[in-house]
Amino acid sequence: MTSDPRRASAAPGTEPEADGLDAPVDDRVIARALRLSLLALVGLLLAALAIWLALRGEPKPVRIEDAAVAAPQAPASVPVQPPALPFADVTQAWGIGFRHENGAYGERLLPETMGSGVAVADLDGDQRPDLLFVNARPWPWRAQEGAVPTAALYRNLGNGRFEDITAGSGLDVPLYGMGVAVADLDGDGLPEVFLSAVGEDRLFRNLGGGRFADITAEAGVAGEAGDWSSSALFFDYDRDGQLDLFVLNYVRWSREIDVELDYRLTGVGRAYGPPTNYAGTHARLYRGLGAGRFEDVSATAGIQVDNPATGLPMGKGLGVVALDVDEDGWLDLAVANDTVQNFLFRNLGDGRFEEIGASSGLAFDNAGVATGAMGLDAAWYGNDADLAVAIGNFANEMTSFFVAQAGSGQFTDETIVSGIGPDSRLALSFGLFFFDADLDGRIDLFQTNGHIEDEINTVQPSQHYEQPSQLFWNCGPDCPRPYVHLAAAQVGALATPVVGRGAAYGDLDGDGDLDIVLTQTGRGPLLLRNDQASGHQWLRVRLEGTPGNRDAIGAVVSVRVGAQVQRQRQMPGRSYLSSVEPVLGFGLGTASQADELVVTWPDGRSTTRSNVAADSEIVVRQSE
């Protein structure tokens, strides 16, 4: 330790300088300072004693015992017995041998796990719904032996039999297909087919007799070679009588980006991973010009949403459905985005849309979090004016159930109070739709599930690659919660564990109730025949609109039985990558007729029918 140089130079009897001031030391000074310090200390002790004596007289605090708080009581149960709604697996018996090819070979590229969709539609004009399965293909940089897989077209022969008529159909074109949209664009009674893909999309004109021609180039709907398109739908957004086409894009993807991100599961190795680190994309809106021609109006229509923080595209769209949230007669669009906020495009009526997802309450769950959203659907689920939007989400995220009251356009998250939330939490849900499974006049909810990682159970014991599909039965207004999850014993083969992706419905066997078809990634589909035996009556409504919108897409059909009114919108594009049968099926319960049927056409005019017999199919034409 070195000495202080100032001390070394100080004169005897003095302290060194402090801040340039001399400080001479005297014994008397030290003694006076000591006396002052002792007096100050005594003063502090006396003050403390005075404070203590003053406080002694205050009343002591009174101890208040905690009151007993009763636990929250569950809603009183209502003696409503959920029905048995068995579904039978008839895939092989009905002649469906299709198998999905996803191209997986061990590199674990993201498109391989997303699957492809299915369409249920009368593609040959014989009044029976046929099946079109979208397919992917082996990756082009891999050597391929034999024929390259394509989409598969199955003609409905009736009596529970289907025939594969893919070869020579014109739909047997190799592409990495994802979604499908179906609509009659030229008014000849035969619907055209749009296929979305990783890469350029395709549009096929229906020539009749099970044959199709590729008209993508002249239609102008190919998109870009670098796009990854997902769900799509036809609808008339500008009410000009010509169908328009909306196409979602997922993420900006390439093999090089995928390999560079290199997602991994601990103890397993390379994994498919989430879309969080992929850039978002913009959707495309094509305005219909008639005769199967379109104009890309995406840049001016208000459907391109950028992240305000980065200026880059925000959307990572997987599911879309058209609806009218404010009941102004102009169709809006709800979009399910994966890991970013959902969109709600409100139609302004002048060819433009406004994105109002956050302000409408549809963008996030009730915790304010964006979910891993896949498929979605919308319905008037309570036979009133309240509109529900259901969205299938990732594992450990409940299926979202948003409700907007009577055309308000303001949604609240009723996932838990609906009865859907808790039983959907573990599932990873893709295809999802509303339909009346037991024909009781109330809309039920179906969803198909399956994880994206085939080895997920190794790292998450609660998760499985194959998962059962789920049916939520609408219990009606007399129940504490509107939906009840039916147990596996009540739904038969519907609860078969699958790697579920696309899902659609239709009356495939002509018995009046609605059957289900779902797809799997890298596997065959599952056809589920509805074997419900409720004895309930039914009514099927087939619409014929104008030549530019032959299927009257966007029309609303109301069916009144006594005081109960059901409403459904003609909108085949829904669920996930899929298209449902464009014939509206209503359950009539025990009624022998629908007292009144009202069709509100896309142009706002209406047609009314009275006393429509049950167990029948009625054709309503806009021209009549």
Side-chain angles (χ1 to χ4, degrees):
M1 182 177 189
T2 61
S3 60
D4 188 337
R6 293 172 296 179
R7 288 185 178 274
S9 60
T14 65
E15 288 290 341
E17 293 182 351
D19 296 330
L21 297 176
D22 288 339
V25 177
D26 185 277
D27 290 340
R28 290 172 297 178
V29 173
I30 295 174
R32 185 168 61 249
L34 181 60
R35 287 195 297 270
L36 291 173
S37 298
L38 289 174
L39 289 172
L41 179 60
V42 171
L44 288 174
L45 290 174
L46 291 174
L49 179 61
I51 293 172
W52 179 77
L53 291 173
L55 292 177
R56 285 186 64 192
E58 291 187 356
K60 295 181 179 180
V62 178
R63 181 178 180 182
I64 301 176
E65 298 291 341
D66 290 337
V69 179
Q73 297 296 312
S77 60
V78 176
V80 176
Q81 181 64 37
L85 288 176
F87 285 78
D89 180 357
V90 294
T91 313
Q92 299 302 318
W94 283 6
I96 306 299
F98 169 76
R99 183 177 179 86
H100 181 258
E101 169 63 61
N102 63 5
Y105 60 93
E107 200 167 16
R108 293 184 178 266
L109 303 176
L110 186 57
E112 297 167 358
T113 195
M114 302 306 289
S116 302
V118 59
V120 179
D122 179 12
L123 295 172
D124 57 3
D126 65 357
Q127 308 300 303
R128 290 191 293 264
D130 308 303
L131 297 174
L132 175 61
F133 295 98
V134 186
N135 207 354
R137 56 162 295 169
W139 294 110
W141 54 83
R142 297 276 297 174
Q144 172 67 28
E145 297 181 0
V148 178
T150 69
L153 176 60
Y154 285 86
R155 172 184 288 153
N156 190 337
L157 303 177
N159 300 317
R161 295 294 301 171
F162 285 81
E163 175 188 12
D164 187 343
I165 60 170
T166 307
S169 67
L171 296 173
D172 49 346
V173 177
L175 77 163
Y176 206 100
M178 296 292 295
V180 56
V182 177
D184 184 358
L185 300 178
D186 52 15
D188 64 355
L190 297 169
E192 277 63 55
V193 172
F194 175 83
L195 298 181
S196 65
V198 177
E200 292 187 348
D201 304 324
R202 303 291 181 89
L203 179 64
F204 299 88
R205 171 167 284 135
N206 194 331
L207 304 176
R211 296 173 55 248
F212 293 80
D214 189 334
I215 60 169
T216 308
E218 52 264 48
V221 294
E224 301 291 337
D227 288 348
W228 175 358
S229 301
S230 54
S231 292
L233 58 77
F234 289 103
F235 75 132
D236 184 4
Y237 81 94
D238 54 2
R239 297 180 64 175
D240 65 351
Q242 301 293 336
L243 286 175
D244 312 301
L245 174 63
F246 184 82
V247 183
L248 280 177
N249 287 319
Y250 186 35
V251 294
R252 183 61 58 189
W253 178 89
S254 69
R255 180 191 181 197
E256 291 73 23
I257 295 173
D258 203 322
V259 171
E260 182 179 355
L261 289 175
D262 197 27
Y263 286 111
R264 293 185 175 270
L265 282 177
T266 303
V268 174
R270 182 163 164 80
Y272 287 108
T276 48
N277 288 333
Y278 292 92
T281 58
H282 287 149
R284 294 186 185 274
L285 177 62
Y286 300 98
R287 180 174 177 267
L289 304 177
R293 296 178 301 111
F294 293 85
E295 173 190 12
D296 189 341
V297 296
S298 308
T300 59
I303 54 92
Q304 295 185 340
V305 182
D306 292 330
N307 187 320
T310 65
L312 299 175
M314 181 186 294
K316 299 180 181 181
L318 286 177
V320 60
V321 69
L323 67 174
D324 186 359
V325 296
D326 48 10
E327 295 190 353
D328 63 353
W330 298 88
L331 287 174
D332 312 302
L333 293 168
V335 173
N337 281 317
D338 191 1
T339 71
V340 298
Q341 67 184 67
N342 301 316
F343 294 154
L344 179 59
F345 292 110
R346 185 170 70 91
N347 194 330
L348 300 178
D350 60 359
R352 296 178 302 120
F353 292 83
E354 176 189 15
E355 201 291 298
I356 59 168
S359 62
S360 72
L362 198 67
F364 306 101
D365 66 12
N366 58 10
V369 176
T371 59
M374 315 295 183
L376 82 167
D377 197 6
W380 292 284
Y381 74 104
N383 293 335
D384 54 21
D386 292 353
L387 180 67
V389 173
I391 303 177
N393 292 317
F394 204 78
N396 296 313
E397 296 174 340
M398 298 178 289
T399 294
S400 297
F401 193 83
F402 297 99
V403 177
Q405 294 184 347
S408 66
Q410 292 296 314
F411 289 89
T412 57
D413 187 341
E414 299 188 6
T415 298
I416 295 177
V417 298
S418 69
I420 291 170
D423 287 321
S424 65
R425 186 181 64 82
L426 287 180
L428 200 167
S429 306
F430 280 87
L432 169 154
F433 54 72
F434 290 101
F435 76 139
D436 188 351
D438 60 345
L439 304 175
D440 64 354
R442 298 190 296 268
I443 294 292
D444 310 303
L445 178 67
F446 169 85
Q447 65 180 34
T448 190
N449 309 315
H451 212 280
I452 64 171
E453 299 287 354
D454 55 0
E455 297 185 72
I456 189 63
N457 186 248
T458 303
V459 294
Q460 293 185 28
S462 66
Q463 288 295 314
H464 299 272
Y465 186 48
E466 298 173 323
Q467 300 179 3
S469 299
Q470 294 175 294
L471 181 59
F472 294 89
W473 177 65
N474 192 327
C475 188
D478 295 331
C479 294
R481 292 181 174 86
Y483 283 97
V484 176
H485 177 220
L486 298 187
Q490 296 171 289
V491 296
L494 184 145
T496 301
V498 292
V499 190
R501 296 297 186 258
Y505 64 79
D507 184 6
L508 300 178
D509 54 4
D511 64 354
D513 57 27
L514 297 174
D515 311 297
I516 295 172
V517 54
L518 60 89
T519 68
Q520 303 186 76
T521 182
R523 304 182 179 193
L526 197 64
L527 264 68
L528 297 169
R529 185 185 64 208
N530 190 336
D531 286 346
Q532 63 87 25
S534 65
H536 291 154
Q537 315 303 308
W538 50 270
L539 176 65
R540 285 169 54 83
V541 182
R542 189 183 298 269
L543 302 178
E544 288 188 12
T546 58
N549 184 4
R550 180 66 179 264
D551 299 315
I553 291 175
V556 174
V557 177
S558 299
V559 171
R560 181 176 63 82
V561 176
Q564 183 187 72
V565 179
Q566 305 175 52
R567 282 200 295 171
Q568 294 186 35
R569 186 179 298 279
Q570 174 75 308
M571 190 55 60
R574 58 183 65 213
S575 185
Y576 171 74
L577 307 178
S578 299
S579 183
V580 305
E581 184 185 12
V583 179
L584 300 178
F586 292 86
L588 302 184
T590 59
S592 60
Q593 67 175 24
D595 299 322
E596 185 178 63
L597 183 151
V598 179
V599 180
T600 303
W601 302 100
D603 63 4
R605 292 181 293 176
S606 63
T607 301
T608 302
R609 297 283 186 269
S610 299
N611 303 324
V612 182
D615 296 347
S616 65
E617 180 176 300
I618 182 174
V619 179
V620 185
R621 298 177 176 85
Q622 189 170 358
S623 59
E624 295 178 349

